[in-house]
Amino acid sequence: MKTNFANLLDFALHVCRTYNICDNTLDDAQLEKHCPLDNGRYDCTPPSTSFATKLNQLDRLPLELLIEVLLQLDIPSLTRFRRLNRRTMMLVNSVHQYTAIIEHCPNIIRAIVSVRADAFDCATLYRTLCTSRCFTCNRFGDHLYLIDCRRVCYFCFTHRPEYFPLTSREASRFFNPNAQAQSKSKSSRKLLELANPPSILSLPGRYCGALTVRGGKLQPRRLQLYDRQAVVQSLSGCGLSQSEKTIEEPKRFMAIISAPVLLNSGRHIDQGFFCLGCRDELDKNTKHFRIKYTIEDMPEHIARYGRIVESSIPGRFMHGTKDQ
């Protein structure tokens, strides 16, 4: 039976939020267990007026100014500041952008703290979460690349060279590709430290898409991973070379976590939808089962590829004839 998504129920019957696929990204790193958050556990009200009289110089500043300063802090620093005492906890909790992220995306905060992603501030994270499009293409971007906080889609982070991070050794070789002697290698590392490109410290675990490597590839130790694009740009702006290492490369998954879109000033979220009519499609340039859509995207998708109809397999759907 054909459908034109005349109502929300009709829409819901032909889309799904997730597939039963484990991509082995930071979503699968047991973040809640290894990085518990104390948000909501404690009363952050200062205990007495005597405490208030001994407050540090922060309270001489207007709250609006304090919030602007806190928004310029990276998430690991903001988290450490929040843990100082009840007053700092109250201050951070008064930052709307931070509380919206904690409410809807706590695992993103856990991941950022765990991998020490400190190249961007809280305001940048919030702005990125309020966008919906992949940084490098026009698809719905349902993931975050945490080294420098770019929203990205599945195909870009698994295939594009700029989302293939470099280890310390690999990044050092960019500065001195012919380095062999130990002294030259040390010099290369020094240049890397001076350039200070964005980086993270990966978590041990299993990474890489389950569709290519069952259970993912085990990475037993932490790796300092640098943003490839930032390393290359620090070398006189030379271009990125394409890489054949795509969905089977674990490093591509170590800085990735799923990310909903914050809507209505952070009051609601949109996680996007998979089109059930594309469930058996594999062409990433047109229709593919891994492409996600927003509610606003779906009418255009249907107009381009046809209404969703039941296939010959019970419970399965496909795109049928386009509207005339």
Side-chain angles (χ1 to χ4, degrees), residues 36 44 46 50 85 89 91 104 122 126 185 207 234 277-279 297:
C44 60
S50 61
N85 54 49
M89 186 177 291
L91 283 174
H104 298 294
C122 183
Y126 179 79
S185 179
Y207 297 94
S234 66
C278 298
R279 190 163 187 169
D297 292 332

Side-chain angles (χ1 to χ4, degrees), residues 76-227:
S77 297
L78 189 63
T79 302
R80 289 192 296 270
F81 175 78
R82 184 180 175 278
R83 292 172 178 170
L84 289 177
N85 54 49
R86 291 185 180 184
R87 176 56 175 162
T88 58
M89 186 177 291
M90 183 175 67
L91 283 174
V92 175
N93 288 354
S94 67
V95 179
H96 166 73
Q97 292 87 336
Y98 173 81
T99 56
I101 298 170
I102 279 290
E103 179 182 357
H104 298 294
C105 321
N107 262 8
I108 291 178
I109 298 293
R110 293 187 178 102
I112 290 172
V113 172
S114 298
V115 301
R116 305 177 192 176
D118 58 3
F120 51 90
D121 56 32
C122 183
T124 299
L125 175 61
Y126 179 79
R127 286 196 302 269
T128 302
L129 290 173
C130 288
T131 64
S132 63
R133 298 301 167 186
C134 173
F135 185 83
T136 46
C137 73
N138 197 40
R139 292 191 181 104
F140 178 86
D142 54 335
H143 294 84
L144 277 187
Y145 172 73
L146 290 183
I147 298 185
D148 66 356
C149 197
R150 277 178 276 175
R151 186 176 280 281
V152 65
C153 69
Y154 173 82
F155 297 103
C156 285
F157 88 74
T158 56
H159 288 79
R160 293 184 66 93
E162 54 263 55
Y163 300 109
F164 183 17
L166 301 165
T167 63
S168 300
R169 179 176 296 182
E170 292 166 341
S172 297
R173 288 175 180 170
F174 267 81
F175 289 90
N176 192 351
N178 298 317
Q180 297 293 334
Q182 185 177 10
S183 59
K184 291 184 178 180
S185 179
K186 288 182 178 179
S187 175
S188 299
R189 287 197 294 270
K190 185 65 175 178
L191 289 172
L192 176 62
E193 292 173 2
L194 291 173
N196 193 29
S199 68
I200 63 165
L201 189 62
S202 71
L203 293 177
R206 292 187 176 275
Y207 297 94
C208 167
L211 293 179
T212 57
V213 181
R214 186 173 183 180
K217 293 182 180 179
L218 178 62
Q219 303 298 311
R221 61 189 181 89
R222 305 188 80 168
L223 300 174
Q224 193 76 36
L225 296 177
Y226 292 88
D227 178 58

Side-chain angles (χ1 to χ4, degrees), residues 1 29 55 60 117 127 137 141 155 195 209 221 243 246 257 309 317:
M1 183 177 64
L55 289 176
R60 297 185 180 181
R127 286 196 302 269
C137 73
F155 297 103
R221 61 189 181 89
S243 172
T246 55
I257 191 166
V309 299
F317 301 88

Side-chain angles (χ1 to χ4, degrees), residues 228-276:
R228 180 180 294 260
Q229 183 167 294
V231 170
V232 171
Q233 286 178 345
S234 66
L235 301 174
S236 303
C238 57
L240 286 171
S241 59
Q242 289 293 330
S243 172
E244 295 180 357
K245 296 183 177 180
T246 55
I247 57 176
E248 295 184 3
E249 173 49 57
K251 293 200 293 280
R252 287 187 177 273
F253 295 77
M254 293 179 180
I256 296 295
I257 191 166
S258 61
V261 178
L262 296 182
L263 303 173
N264 303 323
S265 298
R267 290 188 291 272
H268 304 95
I269 61 171
D270 184 358
Q271 296 176 312
F273 302 90
F274 292 111
C275 173
L276 292 181

